[in-house]
Amino acid sequence: MSTPTATSTQPLGITAKKHVVVRALLHQAGNLVEFWSDFVDDDRVDAEFARECLNRWLQDLPGDDWDTRLAPPRTS
């Protein structure tokens, strides 16, 4: 997943703005999991547990920009 960037000067509607925020949030969640040991100094919690928690908490966000560093979202 690439870093979210501005691609147009056209104003965005509310839904499009939400998708930009979701894309950025998922990207940062992926960074957190990938670099867990750099961010968290408590070895009692590992990156896999963090990945599972983030997956559960974020899986219902709108859009199709899921970060592949997170566990795959459930399919209904």
Side-chain angles (χ1 to χ4, degrees), residues 2 4 6 9 11 13 15-16 22 28-29 33 39 42 50 53-54 56-57 60-61 63 66 74:
S2 62
T9 57
T15 300
V22 167
Q28 291 302 330
V33 168
F39 292 123
D42 191 336
C53 288
L54 290 166
R56 194 171 354 177
W57 299 336
D60 293 328
L61 290 173
W66 195 257
R74 72 171 186 248

Side-chain angles (χ1 to χ4, degrees), residues 25-58:
L25 176 62
L26 290 171
H27 180 76
Q28 291 302 330
N31 286 342
L32 179 60
V33 168
E34 182 175 355
F35 301 105
W36 182 257
S37 62
D38 294 339
F39 292 123
V40 179
D41 291 331
D42 191 336
D43 61 359
R44 297 172 296 177
V45 180
D46 64 10
E48 186 56 34
F49 181 79
R51 180 188 332 268
E52 291 170 9
C53 288
L54 290 166
N55 176 268
R56 194 171 354 177
W57 299 336
L58 302 176

